[in-house]
Amino acid sequence: MLYIIGLGLGDERDITLRGLEAVKKSQKLYIESYTSLLSFGISKDGISTLEKLYGKPLIIADREMVEEKADDMLLEACEFDVAFLVVGDPFGATTHSDLVVRAKKLEVEVKVIYNASVMNAVGVCGLQLYRYGETVSLPFFTETWRPDSFYEKIQRNRGLGLHTLCLLGDLCGETHSFGIADIRVKEPSLESLCRGKKQYEPPTFMTIGVAIDQLLEVEQLRGESAYNEDTLCVGFARLGSENQMVVAGSMKQLRAVDFGPPLHCLTIVGKTHPVEEEMLDFYRS
């Protein structure tokens, strides 16, 4: 059996009872470390916290391992129970859907155990979840690569009066299970790839301020008035943790807010209902 287990958004205590039972039954545990992070991070201390709760060692599964060497893990699951732990919900990132497809092709039995993800946790601000349109991912801009395909999606959502959740994705536009601050974990540098020898850059996380700067840059270039610096937004940081932060305000206002450590995400507000307005008032900066 391959168990794919959501860990939720906060800390080690957010795993469900069903998830913990599956962990206890599994002979080998992997934790996916690049589409999102728990509040304490995938550090030596963070891993030891999980290992203490589970009573078993954890193997960190980075992007390279999951996308290129997953068959090794799946072959193990043919012989004994293996648990693949995912921060947030298992299907919050396309990588994990691909893992299920590969498992099915190898006739490995898969059991998914769900948990909270950013897709429902953003409801804390009072914006109704069914009033959201298509979610977009914002990658880090580089000097030579400044994609703007998200612009039309935001424009379409706003034309329909819908809210837009912006997941702050990585250099390749990866969508994360938490959503959130652009996560570059164990990303090879371009220079090292050109030399044919991988050298990894330090982890980098996109902030709400950087996301807004990029959004406004694209609006200035496109000039189609999809949004502007006065557009109402909601910024989220560390959703699900004890010190989560939620602030509502214009893009200009949120740009100046220090949201603190990662992970961050952003909602561009569409047409609001009076009840939504009343809830948002609690979070206005």
Side-chain angles (χ1 to χ4, degrees):
M1 175 80 77
L2 173 67
Y3 291 101
I4 304 181
I5 303 170
L7 297 181
L9 301 175
D11 58 29
E12 74 282 0
R13 296 169 297 172
D14 285 351
I15 190 171
T16 64
L17 288 175
R18 185 176 293 174
L20 190 57
E21 287 172 0
V23 164
K24 298 288 188 182
K25 286 194 291 187
S26 298
Q27 291 176 251
K28 208 162 186 180
L29 307 180
Y30 293 86
I31 182 164
E32 185 268 292
S33 68
Y34 70 89
T35 65
S36 193
L37 301 174
L38 286 168
S39 59
F40 50 69
I42 302 298
S43 62
K44 185 177 179 181
D45 290 341
I47 289 296
S48 65
T49 300
L50 292 172
E51 289 178 333
K52 184 177 179 181
L53 175 64
Y54 302 157
K56 297 176 182 180
L58 278 170
I59 300 167
I60 297 176
D62 58 28
R63 181 192 297 271
E64 185 177 337
M65 182 264 162
V66 176
E67 295 185 349
E68 299 176 19
K69 302 175 183 177
D71 285 351
D72 294 341
M73 179 177 66
L74 296 177
L75 290 173
E76 291 173 344
C78 292
E79 304 296 326
F80 49 82
D81 288 345
V82 173
F84 183 73
L85 311 180
V86 179
V87 178
D89 185 76
F91 291 127
T94 53
T95 297
H96 309 132
S97 298
D98 177 66
L99 185 63
V100 173
V101 170
R102 292 159 77 172
K104 296 288 188 183
K105 287 180 178 178
L106 290 173
E107 299 184 346
V108 175
E109 188 174 357
V110 177
K111 186 169 185 178
V112 178
I113 300 174
Y114 305 100
N115 211 314
S117 79
V118 69
M119 305 299 285
N120 60 291
V122 292
V124 67
C125 72
L127 295 177
Q128 296 169 358
L129 295 179
Y130 62 83
R131 294 290 301 159
Y132 275 81
E134 185 173 358
T135 299
V136 303
S137 182
L138 306 182
F140 270 119
F141 285 177
T142 69
E143 290 184 11
T144 57
W145 190 67
R146 308 177 91 75
D148 61 1
S149 59
F150 56 81
Y151 185 84
E152 287 86 359
K153 297 175 184 178
I154 296 172
Q155 188 176 47
R156 186 162 57 247
N157 286 346
R158 289 182 60 75
L160 295 170
L162 302 177
H163 315 308
T164 305
L165 174 60
C166 300
L167 303 182
L168 313 188
D170 68 13
L171 192 64
C172 302
E174 179 73 39
T175 299
H176 305 300
S177 48
F178 182 88
I180 54 244
D182 179 357
I183 301 174
R184 290 195 221 168
V185 179
K186 200 177 179 184
E187 292 287 344
S189 66
L190 181 59
E191 184 180 357
S192 72
L193 289 175
C194 292
R195 290 178 178 175
K197 185 178 180 181
K198 287 184 180 179
Q199 290 183 326
Y200 298 102
E201 296 178 335
T204 309
F205 306 91
M206 184 182 281
T207 64
I208 287 167
V210 169
I212 290 173
D213 285 344
Q214 294 188 178
L215 284 164
L216 292 175
E217 177 185 321
V218 171
E219 176 56 60
Q220 187 174 17
L221 290 171
R222 300 288 290 267
E224 297 174 29
S225 301
Y227 50 81
N228 57 51
E229 65 176 12
D230 294 320
T231 298
L232 180 62
C233 295
V234 184
F236 305 88
R238 300 170 302 283
L239 273 173
S241 69
E242 296 290 342
N243 67 340
Q244 73 176 18
M245 185 174 178
V246 182
V247 182
S250 68
M251 285 191 177
K252 183 177 181 180
Q253 290 171 325
L254 296 189
R255 214 177 191 179
V257 174
D258 180 4
F259 281 89
L263 300 167
H264 299 180
C265 62
L266 179 73
T267 289
I268 301 173
V269 179
K271 187 177 180 180
T272 53
H273 182 278
V275 176
E276 291 179 307
E277 283 287 346
E278 193 172 8
M279 279 287 287
L280 284 176
D281 283 343
F282 290 114
Y283 297 107
R284 291 185 189 272
S285 61

